[in-house]
Amino acid sequence: MDRRAALAGLASAALLGACAPRQAARPLVGADGLPLPTLWRITEADAQAIPFRMQEGLNTLRRAAGAGPVELDPALTAAAATHSRDMAVQNRPWHFGSDGSSPLDRLRRVGYRGGLVGEVISETYEDDTTTLAAWARDPVTRDVILDRRATRMGVAWLQEESGKIWWTMVLGN
């Protein structure tokens, strides 16, 4: 009999919980009419896949624009990672390091022997695909990622505890 009473109690609690008032859903659109950012956490699986998704997405854009493909380059990726960390420390997205270094300086420091084509950066809560799409929509960053001189790429990010992501993509030849 005790078991039946316990089961009846659990069933009653479940029914009462279902009848409890629900909290209002979080609005999907901000006061400015734009979608609110959603928090995207980069998992270990994402971290392994992101460079290849970025390369594939970038090469798709480049092919559509008549530009040749780019290959992932570990030195360019190292330079991008250094800059993503540094932007987070500085808490601002810009192309100069806290020590005054330029993108070209960062390439030299990692031993990259090729030329710098360009660098694109972002401070966002958005995933890699959305970030690449934003770069493709902006005329200035679009010119960089579609530059026909580029044959190599590096991409890196730093995600803060808050979820903010500092993205850096470096293109070289």
Side-chain angles (χ1 to χ4, degrees), residues 3 8 11-13 25 29-30 33 37 45 47 68 73 81-82 110-111 120-121 145 156 162:
R3 213 167 71 177
S12 295
V29 177
D73 186 282
T82 297
V110 297
V120 291
I121 57 174
I145 64 175
S162 68

Side-chain angles (χ1 to χ4, degrees), residues 2-150:
D2 290 317
R3 213 167 71 177
R4 285 187 195 159
L7 288 174
L10 286 173
S12 295
L15 284 173
L16 287 174
C19 295
R22 296 181 187 253
Q23 291 183 343
R26 182 173 172 239
L28 300 176
V29 177
D32 59 1
L34 296 174
L36 292 172
T38 57
L39 184 59
W40 180 64
R41 288 275 176 208
I42 298 174
T43 66
E44 185 58 38
D46 291 324
Q48 298 297 317
I50 286 170
F52 300 103
R53 283 197 307 247
M54 284 285 230
Q55 178 192 23
E56 181 180 351
L58 179 58
N59 281 336
T60 299
L61 291 169
R62 291 175 62 80
R63 188 171 30 261
V70 294
E71 294 293 324
L72 286 167
D73 186 282
L76 293 176
T77 296
T82 297
H83 193 55
S84 289
R85 281 190 303 275
D86 195 42
M87 285 190 299
V89 168
Q90 296 181 72
N91 196 34
R92 65 178 168 178
W94 76 321
H95 294 282
F96 294 95
S98 55
D99 60 357
S101 61
S102 70
L104 186 55
D105 294 330
R106 289 188 290 277
L107 293 190
R108 289 184 181 137
R109 287 179 186 165
V110 297
Y112 185 71
R113 296 186 182 270
L116 173 68
V117 172
E119 176 183 80
V120 291
I121 57 174
S122 182
E123 168 194 16
T124 185
Y125 290 85
E126 297 173 331
D127 65 27
D128 51 301
T129 306
T130 306
T131 300
L132 181 59
W135 287 334
R137 279 190 308 274
D138 181 87
V140 173
T141 53
R142 183 179 179 83
D143 285 348
V144 174
I145 64 175
L146 298 181
D147 191 310
R148 293 172 187 263
R149 296 173 298 155

